[in-house]
Amino acid sequence: MSYTLQLWEKPADWPWPTTKAEADAQFERVSDGPETAQNPKFLLWGQALHARFPESMDVWLDGSEEGVTTFPTLGFGINTRTPHWDDAFDHAWAQATRLGLSLYDPQSGVHYLGNGDVPEEPDLQVHRAVRARKAGDDATAWAEYRAWAARGNTHAIYALGRAMRFGILGQRRHFDLAAALQLMGAHNPETQADAQAFAERFPPEAKLRIQALLARLKATAGEPLLQLIDAERKAVDDAFDRTEQTMLYSRKRIEASGGLEVAALQGHEVAAFQRALEAVTGWEEPNFENARYWCQRAAEWDHEPAKRLLALMYEHGWGGPVDKAAAAKWSAAAQEQRQQAQKRQQRKDEAASPQGLSLAPVEAKPSTGVGAAAQVWTGTATRDFVGWFAREGNPHAAQYMGIADQHGREGGPANAAQARAWYAQAAEAGHADATYNLGTFIEVGTGGPKDVLVAKALFMMANAGGTTMRVDDLRLAPNEQGPVRALVAALREPGQLRAVLQQRGLAPAAGPAPVVRQAMGGAAAAATTGMGPPAAAAPSGTLPSRPSQRVDDDEDEESDALRGHQGTGVSMHWGHLALMVGIANVVLVIAFFKPGASFRMGLMAFGLVGAVGAWRTTGDLDWPPLARAVVALLAAIPLVGMAVCTLLLFKATRERR
């Protein structure tokens, strides 16, 4: 028994049919044409099919073999008694499309055109995408759906929406776009009901966004439609990246943190994971219930670290009741996901190796956090929760832990060495306040050796990075400028800050204080052994009121000795007051001195005050001595000095802002 098909080629000057009637008409014209010379494409097509499926392609209606014919069409049959005849059909269609040939199925009246279209059969147009997805080839399936979506295929448009709704086909979620695409591509009562039910779950403001996006999508077709979809997706990723970078710029951390929830609400799994940490360490009271909610969302959205953390939250009862079964479930899910990722990487390495064999062992990802000891649990939710994030490499958690260990907060003892290590980890990731805090430690030798040049380099980096804290009188001698600039360049190299400190012998003097491990169940144990990277011990503590995110907290007098001269905003000292006197030179003379000799003496006196202020302020700005002397001399001249003092005070204010 065979399944008969006809192979034909559309003349180059004919347009591609867009309807079944047009395709029927073109096929009839071609088949009724006279015999011609052998079509070389028929030969290539027949050879490709006979080489791969010889047992299926053994029935040729015109008696030819491997596409040999002088007729304008080639009739053949697929042996349906063979086990893979449907694969043979797909291969026949794929080879025909590759060569620009068309297939006609007289049994169903369907045309499989050489441009990949199947007129008036939208489900068959995405047939290859469906088969690729079933075969686990997500990349091919996504590319096929995109190609047909650009051509207006509703099945493909709906499939794109489903992929961005559920995070399948290797795509990140984007809920607004998913809802709009599903509404646009719904093609039968079932898909229409599903799309409408999903859209109804959004709050009113989100529904307005979706309707506006849907109108834009419907007004676009072809490649611009794909460009619009890509732009919408990229906007969320770019906004999240900007939020991450801006949060490291400490002066804008509060306003930037709101961007995490915006991205998380669109289905960004990493943003949801970061939002869980922010619920505990942000500027409001710790909210572990909210943290568990966002961690659960990130885990459901297939973020592997969130699965490990959620297992721990259920194990220890952070943010809700203890649930051993749920802890075991998420622990196993995380382990399975990690093993699958390792296998994929191993296959990739094997494919890239010369002999197709990877000799590299499959190992867990090394920790980016502090220390290398096994994870311990103290029984204190805040310290254990934030410490877990810090050991995963999160710079905000590392900064938080540094403050806690520096001041002995969260119930743990003060540990300057461990605080210094946390600050170094966060500073290496670009956290501005942590960079400043590390500089104060290295400046006076707290928790390890001191190095004034490295401290100055760190202060310069912190200022450029947007720290909320300042160092007054940061002066660079002429012989220090070159070494400090070289240090700044070395410390700014990605991932090299701690290596540079190690090379200069500035590593912490001691490790963290020993902590007795508490008993823990299977999920927590799995998260500390096979489930996650190794991590250092963390001191225990309680859950007190929110600690300040600053080294210069007025609750700890020791911090004043550590940081020396520092403040926030514009640091006003007598040099700036002297500049104000220089600015008001003539006004003060008129107000307090009479015309004559006393008037000239007043000009001179106030001019000298302005000159001293200029000398002092240019020292703050690290100007060379000669330039400072010239500016001080100009500041002593009436009227000219008033302008000079005004410019210097403006520059000083701008530098301190």
Side-chain angles (χ1 to χ4, degrees), residues 4-34:
T4 59
L5 296 166
Q6 293 283 339
L7 185 70
W8 60 285
E9 183 177 19
K10 174 188 72 67
D13 57 340
W14 292 6
W16 285 106
T18 58
T19 65
K20 183 178 181 301
E22 292 177 357
D24 287 339
Q26 287 195 9
F27 174 74
E28 292 296 333
R29 290 176 61 186
V30 171
S31 61
D32 291 342

PDB file of all heavy atoms in Angstrom, residues 4-34:
ATOM      1  N   THR A   4       0.356   8.178  -2.458  1.00  0.00           N
ATOM      2  CA  THR A   4       0.855   8.788  -3.684  1.00  0.00           C
ATOM      3  C   THR A   4       0.922  10.303  -3.566  1.00  0.00           C
ATOM      4  O   THR A   4       0.078  10.946  -2.944  1.00  0.00           O
ATOM      5  CB  THR A   4      -0.050   8.421  -4.869  1.00  0.00           C
ATOM      6  OG1 THR A   4      -1.377   8.872  -4.608  1.00  0.00           O
ATOM      7  CG2 THR A   4      -0.067   6.906  -5.069  1.00  0.00           C
ATOM      8  N   LEU A   5       1.955  10.872  -4.183  1.00  0.00           N
ATOM      9  CA  LEU A   5       2.190  12.316  -4.192  1.00  0.00           C
ATOM     10  C   LEU A   5       2.705  12.718  -5.563  1.00  0.00           C
ATOM     11  O   LEU A   5       3.211  11.879  -6.333  1.00  0.00           O
ATOM     12  CB  LEU A   5       3.204  12.709  -3.122  1.00  0.00           C
ATOM     13  CG  LEU A   5       2.803  12.470  -1.664  1.00  0.00           C
ATOM     14  CD1 LEU A   5       4.020  12.570  -0.756  1.00  0.00           C
ATOM     15  CD2 LEU A   5       1.745  13.479  -1.231  1.00  0.00           C
ATOM     16  N   GLN A   6       2.601  14.002  -5.880  1.00  0.00           N
ATOM     17  CA  GLN A   6       3.114  14.541  -7.131  1.00  0.00           C
ATOM     18  C   GLN A   6       4.114  15.653  -6.812  1.00  0.00           C
ATOM     19  O   GLN A   6       3.840  16.536  -5.994  1.00  0.00           O
ATOM     20  CB  GLN A   6       1.974  15.111  -7.989  1.00  0.00           C
ATOM     21  CG  GLN A   6       0.999  14.084  -8.524  1.00  0.00           C
ATOM     22  CD  GLN A   6       1.561  13.314  -9.703  1.00  0.00           C
ATOM     23  OE1 GLN A   6       2.498  13.768 -10.372  1.00  0.00           O
ATOM     24  NE2 GLN A   6       0.994  12.144  -9.979  1.00  0.00           N
ATOM     25  N   LEU A   7       5.273  15.588  -7.450  1.00  0.00           N
ATOM     26  CA  LEU A   7       6.317  16.601  -7.287  1.00  0.00           C
ATOM     27  C   LEU A   7       6.314  17.494  -8.515  1.00  0.00           C
ATOM     28  O   LEU A   7       6.314  16.999  -9.648  1.00  0.00           O
ATOM     29  CB  LEU A   7       7.676  15.916  -7.125  1.00  0.00           C
ATOM     30  CG  LEU A   7       8.881  16.807  -6.817  1.00  0.00           C
ATOM     31  CD1 LEU A   7       8.781  17.366  -5.404  1.00  0.00           C
ATOM     32  CD2 LEU A   7      10.180  16.016  -6.967  1.00  0.00           C
ATOM     33  N   TRP A   8       6.318  18.808  -8.338  1.00  0.00           N
ATOM     34  CA  TRP A   8       6.288  19.725  -9.472  1.00  0.00           C
ATOM     35  C   TRP A   8       7.024  21.013  -9.120  1.00  0.00           C
ATOM     36  O   TRP A   8       7.271  21.305  -7.957  1.00  0.00           O
ATOM     37  CB  TRP A   8       4.856  20.025  -9.911  1.00  0.00           C
ATOM     38  CG  TRP A   8       3.985  20.665  -8.857  1.00  0.00           C
ATOM     39  CD1 TRP A   8       3.437  20.053  -7.779  1.00  0.00           C
ATOM     40  CD2 TRP A   8       3.567  22.031  -8.794  1.00  0.00           C
ATOM     41  NE1 TRP A   8       2.694  20.932  -7.034  1.00  0.00           N
ATOM     42  CE2 TRP A   8       2.751  22.163  -7.642  1.00  0.00           C
ATOM     43  CE3 TRP A   8       3.787  23.159  -9.594  1.00  0.00           C
ATOM     44  CZ2 TRP A   8       2.165  23.365  -7.269  1.00  0.00           C
ATOM     45  CZ3 TRP A   8       3.194  24.349  -9.237  1.00  0.00           C
ATOM     46  CH2 TRP A   8       2.398  24.453  -8.078  1.00  0.00           C
ATOM     47  N   GLU A   9       7.364  21.756 -10.155  1.00  0.00           N
ATOM     48  CA  GLU A   9       8.092  23.017  -9.959  1.00  0.00           C
ATOM     49  C   GLU A   9       7.337  24.159 -10.621  1.00  0.00           C
ATOM     50  O   GLU A   9       6.961  24.072 -11.793  1.00  0.00           O
ATOM     51  CB  GLU A   9       9.505  22.940 -10.521  1.00  0.00           C
ATOM     52  CG  GLU A   9      10.295  24.214 -10.273  1.00  0.00           C
ATOM     53  CD  GLU A   9      11.727  24.145 -10.765  1.00  0.00           C
ATOM     54  OE1 GLU A   9      12.006  23.273 -11.613  1.00  0.00           O
ATOM     55  OE2 GLU A   9      12.562  24.965 -10.321  1.00  0.00           O
ATOM     56  N   LYS A  10       7.159  25.206  -9.871  1.00  0.00           N
ATOM     57  CA  LYS A  10       6.500  26.415 -10.381  1.00  0.00           C
ATOM     58  C   LYS A  10       7.481  27.180 -11.275  1.00  0.00           C
ATOM     59  O   LYS A  10       8.636  27.383 -10.914  1.00  0.00           O
ATOM     60  CB  LYS A  10       6.075  27.294  -9.200  1.00  0.00           C
ATOM     61  CG  LYS A  10       5.502  28.636  -9.599  1.00  0.00           C
ATOM     62  CD  LYS A  10       5.291  29.516  -8.389  1.00  0.00           C
ATOM     63  CE  LYS A  10       6.617  29.994  -7.826  1.00  0.00           C
ATOM     64  NZ  LYS A  10       7.321  30.930  -8.740  1.00  0.00           N
ATOM     65  N   PRO A  11       7.060  27.607 -12.462  1.00  0.00           N
ATOM     66  CA  PRO A  11       7.944  28.456 -13.280  1.00  0.00           C
ATOM     67  C   PRO A  11       8.372  29.703 -12.515  1.00  0.00           C
ATOM     68  O   PRO A  11       7.629  30.248 -11.698  1.00  0.00           O
ATOM     69  CB  PRO A  11       7.065  28.810 -14.496  1.00  0.00           C
ATOM     70  CG  PRO A  11       6.098  27.677 -14.589  1.00  0.00           C
ATOM     71  CD  PRO A  11       5.824  27.256 -13.175  1.00  0.00           C
ATOM     72  N   ALA A  12       9.571  30.163 -12.783  1.00  0.00           N
ATOM     73  CA  ALA A  12      10.162  31.259 -12.009  1.00  0.00           C
ATOM     74  C   ALA A  12       9.362  32.551 -12.132  1.00  0.00           C
ATOM     75  O   ALA A  12       9.348  33.368 -11.205  1.00  0.00           O
ATOM     76  CB  ALA A  12      11.605  31.482 -12.447  1.00  0.00           C
ATOM     77  N   ASP A  13       8.695  32.758 -13.263  1.00  0.00           N
ATOM     78  CA  ASP A  13       7.985  34.022 -13.444  1.00  0.00           C
ATOM     79  C   ASP A  13       6.559  33.975 -12.905  1.00  0.00           C
ATOM     80  O   ASP A  13       5.817  34.953 -13.027  1.00  0.00           O
ATOM     81  CB  ASP A  13       7.967  34.414 -14.926  1.00  0.00           C
ATOM     82  CG  ASP A  13       7.334  33.348 -15.801  1.00  0.00           C
ATOM     83  OD1 ASP A  13       7.259  32.181 -15.348  1.00  0.00           O
ATOM     84  OD2 ASP A  13       6.928  33.665 -16.932  1.00  0.00           O
ATOM     85  N   TRP A  14       6.154  32.851 -12.317  1.00  0.00           N
ATOM     86  CA  TRP A  14       4.830  32.772 -11.707  1.00  0.00           C
ATOM     87  C   TRP A  14       4.932  33.157 -10.237  1.00  0.00           C
ATOM     88  O   TRP A  14       5.879  32.769  -9.539  1.00  0.00           O
ATOM     89  CB  TRP A  14       4.264  31.351 -11.796  1.00  0.00           C
ATOM     90  CG  TRP A  14       3.929  30.909 -13.202  1.00  0.00           C
ATOM     91  CD1 TRP A  14       4.173  31.582 -14.362  1.00  0.00           C
ATOM     92  CD2 TRP A  14       3.311  29.673 -13.551  1.00  0.00           C
ATOM     93  NE1 TRP A  14       3.756  30.864 -15.445  1.00  0.00           N
ATOM     94  CE2 TRP A  14       3.202  29.669 -14.977  1.00  0.00           C
ATOM     95  CE3 TRP A  14       2.819  28.592 -12.850  1.00  0.00           C
ATOM     96  CZ2 TRP A  14       2.637  28.615 -15.678  1.00  0.00           C
ATOM     97  CZ3 TRP A  14       2.251  27.531 -13.542  1.00  0.00           C
ATOM     98  CH2 TRP A  14       2.165  27.546 -14.937  1.00  0.00           C
ATOM     99  N   PRO A  15       3.953  33.860  -9.697  1.00  0.00           N
ATOM    100  CA  PRO A  15       3.982  34.167  -8.257  1.00  0.00           C
ATOM    101  C   PRO A  15       3.620  32.926  -7.439  1.00  0.00           C
ATOM    102  O   PRO A  15       2.941  32.020  -7.924  1.00  0.00           O
ATOM    103  CB  PRO A  15       2.924  35.262  -8.105  1.00  0.00           C
ATOM    104  CG  PRO A  15       1.954  34.982  -9.215  1.00  0.00           C
ATOM    105  CD  PRO A  15       2.780  34.469 -10.370  1.00  0.00           C
ATOM    106  N   TRP A  16       4.063  32.924  -6.207  1.00  0.00           N
ATOM    107  CA  TRP A  16       3.696  31.810  -5.334  1.00  0.00           C
ATOM    108  C   TRP A  16       2.208  31.883  -5.020  1.00  0.00           C
ATOM    109  O   TRP A  16       1.684  32.953  -4.699  1.00  0.00           O
ATOM    110  CB  TRP A  16       4.484  31.855  -4.024  1.00  0.00           C
ATOM    111  CG  TRP A  16       5.916  31.419  -4.156  1.00  0.00           C
ATOM    112  CD1 TRP A  16       7.016  32.206  -4.135  1.00  0.00           C
ATOM    113  CD2 TRP A  16       6.377  30.080  -4.334  1.00  0.00           C
ATOM    114  NE1 TRP A  16       8.157  31.464  -4.290  1.00  0.00           N
ATOM    115  CE2 TRP A  16       7.789  30.139  -4.416  1.00  0.00           C
ATOM    116  CE3 TRP A  16       5.746  28.838  -4.439  1.00  0.00           C
ATOM    117  CZ2 TRP A  16       8.583  29.011  -4.595  1.00  0.00           C
ATOM    118  CZ3 TRP A  16       6.539  27.712  -4.618  1.00  0.00           C
ATOM    119  CH2 TRP A  16       7.932  27.792  -4.695  1.00  0.00           C
ATOM    120  N   PRO A  17       1.500  30.761  -5.109  1.00  0.00           N
ATOM    121  CA  PRO A  17       0.066  30.786  -4.784  1.00  0.00           C
ATOM    122  C   PRO A  17      -0.155  31.106  -3.309  1.00  0.00           C
ATOM    123  O   PRO A  17       0.636  30.716  -2.451  1.00  0.00           O
ATOM    124  CB  PRO A  17      -0.415  29.370  -5.104  1.00  0.00           C
ATOM    125  CG  PRO A  17       0.731  28.656  -5.710  1.00  0.00           C
ATOM    126  CD  PRO A  17       1.961  29.437  -5.496  1.00  0.00           C
ATOM    127  N   THR A  18      -1.230  31.799  -3.021  1.00  0.00           N
ATOM    128  CA  THR A  18      -1.574  32.125  -1.633  1.00  0.00           C
ATOM    129  C   THR A  18      -2.859  31.441  -1.186  1.00  0.00           C
ATOM    130  O   THR A  18      -3.185  31.470   0.000  1.00  0.00           O
ATOM    131  CB  THR A  18      -1.728  33.645  -1.464  1.00  0.00           C
ATOM    132  OG1 THR A  18      -2.732  34.120  -2.367  1.00  0.00           O
ATOM    133  CG2 THR A  18      -0.410  34.356  -1.725  1.00  0.00           C
ATOM    134  N   THR A  19      -3.578  30.829  -2.126  1.00  0.00           N
ATOM    135  CA  THR A  19      -4.798  30.095  -1.789  1.00  0.00           C
ATOM    136  C   THR A  19      -4.732  28.716  -2.425  1.00  0.00           C
ATOM    137  O   THR A  19      -3.937  28.454  -3.346  1.00  0.00           O
ATOM    138  CB  THR A  19      -6.052  30.826  -2.288  1.00  0.00           C
ATOM    139  OG1 THR A  19      -6.031  30.854  -3.736  1.00  0.00           O
ATOM    140  CG2 THR A  19      -6.106  32.247  -1.744  1.00  0.00           C
ATOM    141  N   LYS A  20      -5.598  27.831  -1.966  1.00  0.00           N
ATOM    142  CA  LYS A  20      -5.636  26.477  -2.529  1.00  0.00           C
ATOM    143  C   LYS A  20      -6.066  26.515  -3.993  1.00  0.00           C
ATOM    144  O   LYS A  20      -5.546  25.761  -4.831  1.00  0.00           O
ATOM    145  CB  LYS A  20      -6.589  25.613  -1.710  1.00  0.00           C
ATOM    146  CG  LYS A  20      -6.650  24.154  -2.155  1.00  0.00           C
ATOM    147  CD  LYS A  20      -7.584  23.364  -1.275  1.00  0.00           C
ATOM    148  CE  LYS A  20      -7.638  21.894  -1.708  1.00  0.00           C
ATOM    149  NZ  LYS A  20      -8.085  21.735  -3.100  1.00  0.00           N
ATOM    150  N   ALA A  21      -7.006  27.385  -4.341  1.00  0.00           N
ATOM    151  CA  ALA A  21      -7.466  27.489  -5.728  1.00  0.00           C
ATOM    152  C   ALA A  21      -6.322  27.911  -6.650  1.00  0.00           C
ATOM    153  O   ALA A  21      -6.173  27.373  -7.757  1.00  0.00           O
ATOM    154  CB  ALA A  21      -8.628  28.471  -5.815  1.00  0.00           C
ATOM    155  N   GLU A  22      -5.525  28.871  -6.220  1.00  0.00           N
ATOM    156  CA  GLU A  22      -4.390  29.303  -7.036  1.00  0.00           C
ATOM    157  C   GLU A  22      -3.378  28.176  -7.194  1.00  0.00           C
ATOM    158  O   GLU A  22      -2.801  27.977  -8.277  1.00  0.00           O
ATOM    159  CB  GLU A  22      -3.729  30.524  -6.394  1.00  0.00           C
ATOM    160  CG  GLU A  22      -4.584  31.777  -6.425  1.00  0.00           C
ATOM    161  CD  GLU A  22      -3.916  32.942  -5.710  1.00  0.00           C
ATOM    162  OE1 GLU A  22      -2.815  32.734  -5.156  1.00  0.00           O
ATOM    163  OE2 GLU A  22      -4.492  34.040  -5.701  1.00  0.00           O
ATOM    164  N   ALA A  23      -3.131  27.414  -6.120  1.00  0.00           N
ATOM    165  CA  ALA A  23      -2.190  26.299  -6.206  1.00  0.00           C
ATOM    166  C   ALA A  23      -2.707  25.208  -7.139  1.00  0.00           C
ATOM    167  O   ALA A  23      -1.949  24.632  -7.943  1.00  0.00           O
ATOM    168  CB  ALA A  23      -1.935  25.728  -4.811  1.00  0.00           C
ATOM    169  N   ASP A  24      -4.029  24.903  -7.078  1.00  0.00           N
ATOM    170  CA  ASP A  24      -4.611  23.904  -7.985  1.00  0.00           C
ATOM    171  C   ASP A  24      -4.448  24.338  -9.437  1.00  0.00           C
ATOM    172  O   ASP A  24      -4.103  23.525 -10.312  1.00  0.00           O
ATOM    173  CB  ASP A  24      -6.101  23.716  -7.675  1.00  0.00           C
ATOM    174  CG  ASP A  24      -6.329  22.947  -6.376  1.00  0.00           C
ATOM    175  OD1 ASP A  24      -5.396  22.237  -5.940  1.00  0.00           O
ATOM    176  OD2 ASP A  24      -7.428  23.072  -5.796  1.00  0.00           O
ATOM    177  N   ALA A  25      -4.705  25.605  -9.702  1.00  0.00           N
ATOM    178  CA  ALA A  25      -4.613  26.101 -11.071  1.00  0.00           C
ATOM    179  C   ALA A  25      -3.187  26.005 -11.601  1.00  0.00           C
ATOM    180  O   ALA A  25      -2.964  25.588 -12.753  1.00  0.00           O
ATOM    181  CB  ALA A  25      -5.115  27.540 -11.126  1.00  0.00           C
ATOM    182  N   GLN A  26      -2.219  26.382 -10.792  1.00  0.00           N
ATOM    183  CA  GLN A  26      -0.829  26.304 -11.245  1.00  0.00           C
ATOM    184  C   GLN A  26      -0.409  24.854 -11.482  1.00  0.00           C
ATOM    185  O   GLN A  26       0.283  24.546 -12.457  1.00  0.00           O
ATOM    186  CB  GLN A  26       0.095  26.971 -10.222  1.00  0.00           C
ATOM    187  CG  GLN A  26       0.011  28.481 -10.205  1.00  0.00           C
ATOM    188  CD  GLN A  26       1.176  29.104  -9.457  1.00  0.00           C
ATOM    189  OE1 GLN A  26       2.129  28.420  -9.086  1.00  0.00           O
ATOM    190  NE2 GLN A  26       1.110  30.407  -9.234  1.00  0.00           N
ATOM    191  N   PHE A  27      -0.809  23.943 -10.575  1.00  0.00           N
ATOM    192  CA  PHE A  27      -0.434  22.536 -10.760  1.00  0.00           C
ATOM    193  C   PHE A  27      -1.032  21.977 -12.044  1.00  0.00           C
ATOM    194  O   PHE A  27      -0.371  21.231 -12.785  1.00  0.00           O
ATOM    195  CB  PHE A  27      -0.903  21.718  -9.552  1.00  0.00           C
ATOM    196  CG  PHE A  27      -0.696  20.244  -9.716  1.00  0.00           C
ATOM    197  CD1 PHE A  27       0.575  19.687  -9.633  1.00  0.00           C
ATOM    198  CD2 PHE A  27      -1.778  19.402  -9.988  1.00  0.00           C
ATOM    199  CE1 PHE A  27       0.771  18.323  -9.804  1.00  0.00           C
ATOM    200  CE2 PHE A  27      -1.587  18.039 -10.161  1.00  0.00           C
ATOM    201  CZ  PHE A  27      -0.312  17.497 -10.068  1.00  0.00           C
ATOM    202  N   GLU A  28      -2.279  22.313 -12.333  1.00  0.00           N
ATOM    203  CA  GLU A  28      -2.909  21.816 -13.553  1.00  0.00           C
ATOM    204  C   GLU A  28      -2.180  22.327 -14.788  1.00  0.00           C
ATOM    205  O   GLU A  28      -1.970  21.585 -15.761  1.00  0.00           O
ATOM    206  CB  GLU A  28      -4.384  22.241 -13.584  1.00  0.00           C
ATOM    207  CG  GLU A  28      -5.248  21.574 -12.536  1.00  0.00           C
ATOM    208  CD  GLU A  28      -5.347  20.074 -12.737  1.00  0.00           C
ATOM    209  OE1 GLU A  28      -5.208  19.600 -13.896  1.00  0.00           O
ATOM    210  OE2 GLU A  28      -5.538  19.352 -11.740  1.00  0.00           O
ATOM    211  N   ARG A  29      -1.784  23.576 -14.785  1.00  0.00           N
ATOM    212  CA  ARG A  29      -1.072  24.134 -15.942  1.00  0.00           C
ATOM    213  C   ARG A  29       0.266  23.444 -16.148  1.00  0.00           C
ATOM    214  O   ARG A  29       0.660  23.152 -17.280  1.00  0.00           O
ATOM    215  CB  ARG A  29      -0.859  25.635 -15.748  1.00  0.00           C
ATOM    216  CG  ARG A  29      -2.139  26.462 -15.832  1.00  0.00           C
ATOM    217  CD  ARG A  29      -1.876  27.915 -15.541  1.00  0.00           C
ATOM    218  NE  ARG A  29      -0.952  28.499 -16.506  1.00  0.00           N
ATOM    219  CZ  ARG A  29      -0.454  29.745 -16.411  1.00  0.00           C
ATOM    220  NH1 ARG A  29      -0.819  30.509 -15.382  1.00  0.00           N
ATOM    221  NH2 ARG A  29       0.371  30.202 -17.332  1.00  0.00           N
ATOM    222  N   VAL A  30       0.973  23.158 -15.006  1.00  0.00           N
ATOM    223  CA  VAL A  30       2.266  22.487 -15.128  1.00  0.00           C
ATOM    224  C   VAL A  30       2.093  21.051 -15.599  1.00  0.00           C
ATOM    225  O   VAL A  30       2.791  20.576 -16.509  1.00  0.00           O
ATOM    226  CB  VAL A  30       3.016  22.534 -13.777  1.00  0.00           C
ATOM    227  CG1 VAL A  30       4.256  21.649 -13.819  1.00  0.00           C
ATOM    228  CG2 VAL A  30       3.408  23.955 -13.440  1.00  0.00           C
ATOM    229  N   SER A  31       1.160  20.333 -15.006  1.00  0.00           N
ATOM    230  CA  SER A  31       0.989  18.913 -15.355  1.00  0.00           C
ATOM    231  C   SER A  31       0.468  18.719 -16.769  1.00  0.00           C
ATOM    232  O   SER A  31       0.740  17.687 -17.404  1.00  0.00           O
ATOM    233  CB  SER A  31       0.045  18.239 -14.351  1.00  0.00           C
ATOM    234  OG  SER A  31      -1.238  18.856 -14.376  1.00  0.00           O
ATOM    235  N   ASP A  32      -0.273  19.686 -17.293  1.00  0.00           N
ATOM    236  CA  ASP A  32      -0.782  19.579 -18.664  1.00  0.00           C
ATOM    237  C   ASP A  32       0.249  20.013 -19.697  1.00  0.00           C
ATOM    238  O   ASP A  32      -0.011  19.908 -20.910  1.00  0.00           O
ATOM    239  CB  ASP A  32      -2.040  20.433 -18.825  1.00  0.00           C
ATOM    240  CG  ASP A  32      -3.225  19.867 -18.042  1.00  0.00           C
ATOM    241  OD1 ASP A  32      -3.163  18.679 -17.670  1.00  0.00           O
ATOM    242  OD2 ASP A  32      -4.179  20.633 -17.767  1.00  0.00           O
ATOM    243  N   GLY A  33       1.385  20.481 -19.253  1.00  0.00           N
ATOM    244  CA  GLY A  33       2.398  20.943 -20.178  1.00  0.00           C
ATOM    245  C   GLY A  33       3.081  19.795 -20.901  1.00  0.00           C
ATOM    246  O   GLY A  33       2.959  18.621 -20.519  1.00  0.00           O
ATOM    247  N   PRO A  34       3.827  20.101 -21.962  1.00  0.00           N
ATOM    248  CA  PRO A  34       4.497  19.051 -22.743  1.00  0.00           C
ATOM    249  C   PRO A  34       5.703  18.483 -21.994  1.00  0.00           C
ATOM    250  O   PRO A  34       6.186  19.055 -21.030  1.00  0.00           O
ATOM    251  CB  PRO A  34       4.926  19.798 -24.007  1.00  0.00           C
ATOM    252  CG  PRO A  34       5.126  21.211 -23.545  1.00  0.00           C
ATOM    253  CD  PRO A  34       4.082  21.436 -22.493  1.00  0.00           C
TER     254      PRO A  34
END
